Amino acid sequence: MSAVILALAAGAVIGLALGALGGGGSVLAVPALIYLLGFSPVGATTASLVIVTLTSVTALVAHARDGHVRWRTGLLFAAAGIGPAMLGGALASSVPAAVLTAAFAVVAGVAAVRMLRSRPAADGAVTVRPGRAAAAGAGLGAVTGVLGVGGGFLAVPALVGVLGMRMRNAVGTSLLVITVNSLAALSMRAGTVESLDWAVVGPFIAAAILGAWDGKRLSAKVSGHMLQRIFAVVLLAVAAFMLVDALR
């Protein structure tokens, strides 16, 4: 099967995840780029940031139209994570490939377990504690920079479990966090973007953007609790696969 066809298929799945779940795109994009398309771990994390940034902006617009983005909380998260994301992006190239893969798997697994154990918040107003939001945002930024992920697969559990936000609002708000964190991390990897295989990355991005719109429509038909469980199960499966591979 040609690389372009694989890129289109993988891009569609990643876009669907971002649009429906508000995260999971990069946690799926990185292994797809490594195992399906032959990218190195560092190249895959850089390409993932490009793909996820553009796809997240598309999905963010769709969720914002429905009023599911909590801008104040999202911007606080994002602002706290910009510095750590840039620092992590600068340090990423010095991390050994096996360590990068193993760390990615562990972080994804921890986030999945937290999602499975937390309960969706009840409808109503959410009280946001600035200290908690800033601390969580800084942690997400650091992970984004080093691992090349947008942070949505951690932002959603944090918004739901730590700040008590409803799942559907957490999905929309996390897209704002992903966009800002990814741009910050990408700014520290600007010199490596030109070396990407754009014949593969381009179709990947196009399919992901189209998939994000389908994901948004899916999120309107599936309950927040079900989305949360699907999200967690996907993360666990990917984490287990990558950890086994890293430990070989």
Side-chain angles (χ1 to χ4, degrees):
M1 188 178 295
S2 74
V4 173
I5 293 175
L6 287 173
L8 288 170
V13 173
I14 276 107
L16 191 69
L18 274 169
L21 303 175
S26 51
V27 80
L28 298 176
V30 170
L33 289 163
I34 293 173
Y35 300 111
L36 294 180
L37 299 171
F39 280 59
S40 68
V42 174
T45 55
T46 300
S48 172
L49 286 171
V50 177
I51 294 163
V52 173
T53 298
L54 295 175
T55 308
S56 296
V57 170
T58 301
L60 174 63
V61 170
H63 282 272
R65 286 178 178 175
D66 291 343
H68 292 150
V69 178
R70 295 296 174 261
W71 295 96
R72 182 177 178 181
T73 302
L75 289 172
L76 181 58
F77 252 75
I82 289 175
M86 295 178 71
L87 179 60
L91 297 175
S93 60
S94 63
V95 180
V99 174
L100 197 64
T101 302
F104 191 101
V106 170
V107 170
V110 170
V113 171
R114 186 176 182 85
M115 283 290 285
L116 285 172
R117 294 179 63 183
S118 65
R119 297 179 180 179
D123 290 350
V126 176
T127 300
V128 178
R129 296 182 180 180
R132 281 190 175 187
L140 292 173
V143 171
T144 297
V146 175
L147 301 184
V149 298
F153 71 106
L154 294 174
V156 172
L159 291 169
V160 173
V162 178
L163 301 182
M165 188 176 290
R166 288 179 295 169
M167 183 62 183
R168 211 168 295 283
N169 291 335
V171 167
T173 304
S174 73
L175 290 166
L176 174 61
V177 179
I178 291 170
T179 300
V180 176
N181 279 352
S182 296
L183 284 172
L186 199 55
S187 70
M188 302 304 293
R189 302 189 186 202
T192 64
V193 172
E194 295 180 358
S195 63
L196 295 177
D197 185 356
W198 286 99
V200 173
V201 175
F204 201 122
I205 293 172
I209 288 174
L210 291 175
W213 287 102
D214 290 333
K216 170 60 182 63
R217 287 192 287 269
L218 177 64
S219 71
K221 299 177 181 179
V222 182
S223 70
H225 181 62
M226 181 60 68
L227 283 175
Q228 184 173 327
R229 297 190 70 82
I230 292 172
F231 187 69
V233 170
V234 170
L235 281 182
L236 276 177
V238 172
F241 176 81
M242 294 192 74
L243 188 58
V244 169
D245 181 71
L247 296 176
R248 285 179 182 176

